[in-house]
Amino acid sequence: MRPDTVRRGADGRGDSRAQSGTRADSRTQPGARTEPDDAWDDGLIARRVNETTAPEQPAVVETRPSAPQTVPPLAYDGPLRSRLDALRELVGLSRARLDNKTLAEAGRVLDEAAARRKLSGQHTVVAVAGATGSGKSQLFNALAGVAISETGVRRPTTAAPIACSWSDGAAGLIDRLGIPGRLRRRPLQSPEAEAQLRGLVLVDLPDLDSAAVQHREQAEKVLELVDAIIWVLDPEKYADAVLHERYLRPMAGHAEVMFVVLNQVDRLPGEAAHQVLDDLRRLLDEDGIPLGEYGEPGATVLALSALTGDGVGELREALGQFVTERGAAARRISADLDAAAVRLWPVYATTRRAGLSEQARDEFSARLADAVGATAAGEAAERAWLRSANRACGTPWLRLWRWFHVRREPQTGRVQLRAQQADEQATARQRVEQAVRTVADRASTGLPTPWAQAVREAAVRGAQGLPEALDELAERTGLPAGRPPTPGWWPVAVLAQASMTILQVVGGLWLVGQIVGVIPPNLGVPVMLMVAGIIGGPIVEWSCRMAARGPARRYGLDAERRLREAAAGCGRARVLDPVASELLRYREVREQYGKVTGAGVGVR
């Protein structure tokens, strides 16, 4: 048995007599040992185990109290609760628009926040993570004051996470990490040291660069669940690209719950330790990790030697203050929220104001009105009003000629008219489709891809059957049934025209009577009557036509307005309202996203 390795039975229990007998000696830190100058293996991987060290100091297996203890659950403050509620609302509103993979991280944060809130708020779970040979297990033992985690030259040494709790009531937290009872320990320390770290749950993780894939996966799983992390680096691997790119850089937002420890500084001569530490700070700054110096929030960076104990006390003091604040769990959840919000930025952020402007709506309505021929319908209504006026106020001879002309119109013209109507319908359908595409593009411009796609799909769904609905609308609303309304002056005009016609008829009959010899010859009077009727009839018709222009124009504009309003209402119900609904949903999720990020602002 190696002197720095604890051997236990299959049930994980230690010898209580040995434990009680060594409690007083356990106050001496393992880091107080010294090694001769030739105690190196190769200087790059690990230290050689010192076979001449003092006998091991076994740790105590964590035992559950006979009666369950009541531990106050974790309580989130108001802003954090609001952000979690906003994220929950955000996920709910986005289920139908975003895939599960996009929302997976946000869902995980919500689940972990809910699970952590139910557990102890008096404990802080801190993981000790590092690469092979960094000395993390040795640091873990130094903090515990007893050899708990296995150390040595064999790699990987730590095959499974090991938990050490400084106080009772942390069983639920350790259960959440999936650490079995045989891998749970209690430290052997002085009452002062134990009081300093009361509430701490320290977890030694497998190597992050372990050759065993399952070890790395297990370590990464625990890293997602702990409240804080101690990154243990060594002088050889502190700049390792895998460590920085895979772990440190992605967790830059978690700086306030991170300790970055440069271990094994006793291997560096002279000022080399300060130079390596400065270079480590530079690398952390490049990773985007703020450093908690000069009272600023950020990561705590320390240099120490777990072997000699140099700097371990400073780390223990910083850990004690950190645990006493009882705020690590909430800060970790808040940092997870920030990370989730950053991942969701591409699907919620926009650089422009979302929505349809009044100009876009008006242009869409105008395109639909042109498609149904609102202008042509207004002009047709105006012509119909004028025709009605001409029929009522025109001379009988002119109306008779027009009727004869219509009767002689060839039938081929009607066939051409039907062909022209078919072409107009096809053109109108194309105009409607173009109007829908234009309004969809304007509404979706600048939106994130999922929401832009949702807006286009809503417009396409609404456009189905829209041309047919507009055609039916044009037939029903275009020209009113029956004749146009009759103005008040029409009876007077009709009476005047009838008088002119009567004058012509009387004059003509008078002349015929004179020719036949029934009436005595007198050409002056009948000729004057006929001339008055012939000249007065067109004058009355022209006067009525001039007087009818204003009412006919108003009648045509009213018919055009009704058709435009009907077309706009149909387009609004089928296209604009569904598009506006999607934009409103996006505005709601954007507001919730603003609450998640803590900005408290809605859509731009």
Side-chain angles (χ1 to χ4, degrees):
M1 180 177 67
R2 296 194 302 269
D4 58 348
T5 303
V6 178
R7 299 292 188 181
R8 297 191 177 277
D11 58 354
R13 298 180 179 177
D15 190 343
S16 60
R17 291 173 298 177
Q19 295 165 2
S20 61
T22 58
R23 180 175 297 273
D25 298 335
S26 65
R27 300 179 182 178
T28 305
Q29 301 295 328
R33 297 174 298 174
T34 58
E35 290 186 355
D37 295 339
D38 59 351
W40 294 96
D41 181 16
D42 58 1
L44 294 176
I45 300 179
R47 292 184 180 278
R48 187 185 305 277
V49 178
N50 188 353
E51 300 293 342
T52 61
T53 54
E56 60 175 314
Q57 297 173 339
V60 179
V61 179
E62 181 178 4
T63 58
R64 299 179 183 272
S66 56
Q69 292 185 344
T70 302
V71 181
L74 180 63
Y76 297 146
D77 58 13
L80 182 56
R81 287 199 307 270
S82 298
R83 294 181 63 193
L84 289 171
D85 293 341
L87 181 61
R88 189 175 296 104
E89 183 72 15
L90 180 68
V91 172
L93 291 172
S94 306
R95 288 293 185 191
R97 300 295 177 266
L98 304 179
D99 56 88
N100 293 332
K101 183 178 180 181
T102 304
L103 298 174
E105 178 63 18
R108 186 195 69 82
V109 171
L110 289 173
D111 294 340
E112 298 303 337
R116 182 63 181 91
R117 187 176 185 180
K118 297 177 182 178
L119 300 175
S120 172
Q122 304 299 316
H123 293 80
T124 302
V125 184
V126 181
V128 182
T132 302
S134 60
K136 60 181 180 56
S137 296
Q138 199 170 39
L139 177 61
F140 180 87
N141 293 336
L143 292 173
V146 65
I148 295 178
S149 187
E150 191 173 325
T151 62
V153 296
R154 181 175 59 85
R155 303 295 177 213
T157 302
T158 306
I162 301 175
C164 181
S165 176
W166 266 255
S167 59
D168 296 330
L173 290 170
I174 303 177
D175 291 340
R176 179 168 172 255
L177 303 180
I179 300 177
R182 60 185 178 83
L183 297 178
R184 304 181 186 185
R185 306 289 186 265
R186 291 293 298 275
L188 287 176
Q189 294 196 5
S190 63
E192 294 80 6
E194 186 170 352
Q196 185 183 27
L197 298 179
R198 182 175 300 277
L200 173 64
V201 178
L202 199 62
V203 181
D204 186 21
L205 299 181
D207 299 332
L208 295 177
D209 59 349
S210 174
V213 178
Q214 63 272 21
H215 292 180
R216 297 200 306 269
E217 293 177 348
Q218 194 172 17
E220 292 172 357
K221 180 180 179 181
V222 175
L223 282 176
E224 294 180 349
L225 302 177
V226 297
D227 301 329
I229 305 172
I230 300 176
W231 299 102
V232 182
L233 312 179
D234 64 87
E236 282 80 22
K237 293 185 178 181
Y238 75 93
D240 182 64
V242 175
L243 177 66
H244 286 266
E245 294 177 3
R246 186 170 182 176
Y247 297 102
L248 292 177
R249 192 170 301 165
M251 296 193 68
H254 296 71
E256 293 188 38
V257 292
M258 287 169 48
F259 293 82
V260 182
V261 173
L262 179 64
N263 192 20
Q264 302 176 7
V265 293
D266 57 304
R267 298 167 49 187
L268 300 173
E271 296 294 325
H274 295 288
Q275 295 175 0
V276 172
L277 192 62
D278 290 341
D279 192 49
L280 174 59
R281 290 192 176 97
R282 179 187 62 82
L283 293 174
L284 294 176
D285 182 69
E286 292 179 357
D287 292 335
I289 300 176
L291 305 182
E293 299 177 344
Y294 310 108
E296 296 293 330
T300 301
V301 182
L302 298 173
L304 54 80
S305 172
L307 180 67
T308 63
D310 184 22
V312 175
E314 184 180 356
L315 175 60
R316 183 181 289 107
E317 182 179 355
L319 271 177
Q321 182 179 358
F322 183 77
V323 172
T324 303
E325 294 175 355
R326 308 285 190 244
R331 288 200 294 269
R332 172 62 194 264
I333 296 298
S334 180
D336 288 344
L337 274 174
D338 293 338
V342 170
R343 293 188 180 96
L344 292 175
W345 173 262
V347 298
Y348 291 116
T350 180
T351 57
R352 63 181 293 272
R353 183 182 297 276
L356 280 174
S357 63
E358 289 299 326
Q359 180 181 359
R361 292 173 178 270
D362 293 341
E363 290 182 3
F364 177 70
S365 299
R367 288 173 180 267
L368 294 185
D370 292 340
V372 299
T375 302
E379 294 175 352
E382 182 178 355
R383 289 193 299 269
W385 206 99
L386 290 174
R387 283 195 302 268
S388 180
N390 290 335
R391 283 195 299 267
C393 305
T395 61
W397 325 116
L398 183 60
R399 293 202 302 271
L400 182 61
W401 181 84
R402 288 173 179 171
W403 173 82
F404 181 74
H405 181 73
V406 171
R407 292 295 299 271
R408 293 189 60 184
E409 182 182 355
Q411 297 294 328
T412 55
R414 299 181 180 180
V415 177
Q416 294 176 357
L417 180 60
R418 286 194 292 268
Q420 182 180 1
Q421 290 176 349
D423 294 339
E424 290 178 354
Q425 289 179 355
T427 303
R429 180 180 294 272
Q430 294 175 357
R431 289 179 178 177
V432 171
E433 294 175 353
Q434 179 64 28
V436 172
R437 286 195 298 268
T438 301
V439 75
D441 291 341
R442 289 190 176 184
S444 59
T445 300
L447 293 181
T449 301
W451 304 100
Q453 183 65 23
V455 167
R456 295 190 185 97
E457 291 176 354
V460 171
R461 288 194 304 268
Q464 296 176 357
L466 180 59
E468 292 78 7
L470 291 175
D471 291 341
E472 180 182 356
L473 190 66
E475 294 178 0
R476 185 174 66 252
T477 313
L479 290 177
R483 292 185 177 183
T486 302
W489 53 266
W490 273 23
V492 178
V494 172
L495 180 60
Q497 192 65 263
S499 301
M500 296 301 103
T501 304
I502 291 174
L503 289 176
Q504 295 178 47
V505 172
V506 170
L509 292 176
W510 197 330
L511 288 176
V512 172
Q514 289 183 6
I515 294 172
V516 176
V518 177
I519 301 174
N522 185 5
L523 296 177
V525 176
V527 170
M528 291 181 59
L529 291 176
M530 288 187 66
V531 171
I534 292 172
I535 296 176
I539 292 176
V540 171
E541 183 179 359
W542 178 83
S543 301
C544 292
R545 184 176 297 176
M546 292 297 103
R549 284 187 177 181
R553 181 59 178 165
R554 290 192 296 271
Y555 182 73
L557 291 177
D558 185 64
E560 179 181 355
R561 177 187 56 79
R562 289 197 307 269
L563 188 54
R564 285 183 178 274
E565 291 178 353
C570 184
R572 181 172 57 253
R574 287 176 173 267
V575 177
L576 293 183
D577 286 349
V579 169
S581 178
E582 291 297 333
L583 292 174
L584 179 61
R585 178 186 289 267
Y586 172 73
R587 184 175 292 108
E588 290 176 355
V589 300
R590 186 68 175 88
E591 290 175 354
Q592 296 299 328
Y593 180 75
K595 295 178 182 178
V596 172
T597 59
V601 295
V603 67
R604 292 183 56 185

